[in-house]
Amino acid sequence: MSLRTAQIRLVSSHPEVYEPCDDSFALVDALLADRINLVEHHPVLCLEVGCGSGYVITSLALMLGQEVPGVQYIATDINPYAVEVTRKTLEAHNVHADLINTDIASGLEKRLAGLVDVMVVNPPYVPTPEDEVGREGIASAWAGGENGRAVIDKILPIADKLLSKRGWLYLVTLTANDPSQICLQMMEKGYAARIVVQRSTEEENLHIIKFWRDFDIQMDAKVIVPNKAAPVGVMDTLLSQVHRLSFRRSASSNNN
């Protein structure tokens, strides 16, 4: 049986590169949960922004495998050590991706505009002082500035430019990032959304959100107006998911 995800023992490492952790596993689990849809989607171009150890892009290439031939994989990272570690991880699993040492997709936006069918991002989402954002080395993997949104808010408009008309974005968010507001922001650009995986750990509450263009969504200034019957994953459903999960965590904390 062919492998569906990267094997941790074959994932390369470096002291200055973020190793696979709960957020990485949650993102890959979200892709696995949506795998049948991904195979039927038959993406031509897949992009990971912030590849780190290469665990996610390698897993994506493995889970699509021979069922979706001819896919081009691209992975970027601002950390040059991460690019090298990802290369070794890909080689250890006998899969290939084009690797580029750049900030998000700098230098690629014109070339890839409207072409990316699947985009996966585990961004720096941890709330930190603003002056920690963009530092060299491993800190670039987690430092997200105020509310952990500094890098996320840069990525979203770039994703909108790069995604094809049928493009999908899988984004890792933390409760502190205000995922409801992120979804509203994307809805203003015409995207529907749904939470694919929600996971609570001892340190954080993660939401893996999938975004896709919904051409039935019409915008009226500040109000999002779904046209006709709302598809699964429109804003009301998503926001209720996020709010319900937040309420449960708050209630649990109060009980303890």
Side-chain angles (χ1 to χ4, degrees):
M1 181 177 177
S2 60
L3 297 176
R4 289 286 173 84
T5 64
Q7 303 300 291
I8 293 299
R9 64 184 178 82
L10 297 179
V11 174
S12 189
S13 63
H14 185 281
E16 291 297 322
V17 175
Y18 186 72
E19 295 184 354
C21 199
D22 291 326
D23 48 2
S24 315
F25 302 140
L27 178 52
V28 168
D29 285 349
L31 295 172
L32 278 172
D34 214 29
R35 180 180 173 277
I36 293 176
N37 291 326
L38 282 165
V39 170
E40 293 177 351
H41 190 54
H42 207 299
V44 175
L45 177 60
C46 298
L47 169 68
E48 180 180 16
V49 170
C51 54
S53 67
Y55 175 75
V56 175
I57 192 67
T58 300
S59 294
L60 179 59
L62 288 170
M63 68 178 70
L64 294 182
Q66 295 181 351
E67 292 182 71
V68 189
V71 182
Q72 180 182 3
Y73 300 94
I74 300 176
T76 72
D77 204 295
I78 195 172
N79 182 350
Y81 296 112
V83 172
E84 179 60 21
V85 166
T86 293
R87 182 186 64 80
K88 293 178 180 178
T89 298
L90 288 162
E91 289 178 350
H93 291 84
N94 296 311
V95 292
H96 174 77
D98 295 317
L99 305 177
I100 302 168
N101 178 204
T102 190
D103 183 13
I104 306 179
S106 179
L108 300 174
E109 292 182 55
K110 288 185 178 180
R111 186 180 119 197
L112 300 183
L115 296 178
V116 177
D117 296 319
V118 173
M119 184 172 178
V120 292
V121 188
N122 183 6
Y125 57 68
V126 178
T128 64
E130 290 292 333
D131 60 4
E132 293 186 14
V133 177
R135 286 187 176 180
E136 295 184 357
I138 196 169
S140 65
W142 67 68
E146 185 179 358
N147 299 323
R149 290 284 295 274
V151 180
I152 291 174
D153 288 342
K154 291 180 180 178
I155 290 173
L156 295 180
I158 294 173
D160 182 43
K161 292 178 182 177
L162 299 186
L163 288 172
S164 66
K165 290 182 179 180
R166 64 191 192 98
W168 295 349
L169 167 64
Y170 296 84
L171 178 70
V172 179
T173 67
L174 190 68
T175 300
N177 304 148
D178 194 354
S180 300
Q181 198 281 331
I182 291 173
C183 293
L184 283 170
Q185 186 175 332
M186 291 298 282
M187 286 291 264
E188 291 175 358
K189 297 179 182 294
Y191 289 84
R194 70 179 177 92
I195 296 173
V196 183
V197 166
Q198 188 277 331
R199 187 160 298 167
S200 297
T201 70
E202 293 183 359
E203 298 181 350
E204 54 193 11
N205 297 296
L206 299 165
H207 307 279
I208 315 303
I209 306 175
K210 176 183 178 181
F211 297 93
W212 68 95
R213 297 185 191 275
D214 188 331
F215 297 102
D216 284 338
I217 292 178
Q218 297 180 343
M219 295 305 305
D220 181 11
K222 298 179 181 179
V223 181
I224 299 167
V225 182
N227 186 22
K228 307 177 188 177
V232 175
V234 295
M235 200 65 239
D236 287 345
T237 302
L238 181 69
L239 292 180
S240 67
Q241 285 181 292
V242 175
H243 293 158
R244 185 170 63 251
L245 291 166
S246 298
F247 173 79
R248 287 176 179 172
R249 285 192 295 272
S250 177
S252 177
S253 298
N254 292 336
N255 290 336
N256 292 335

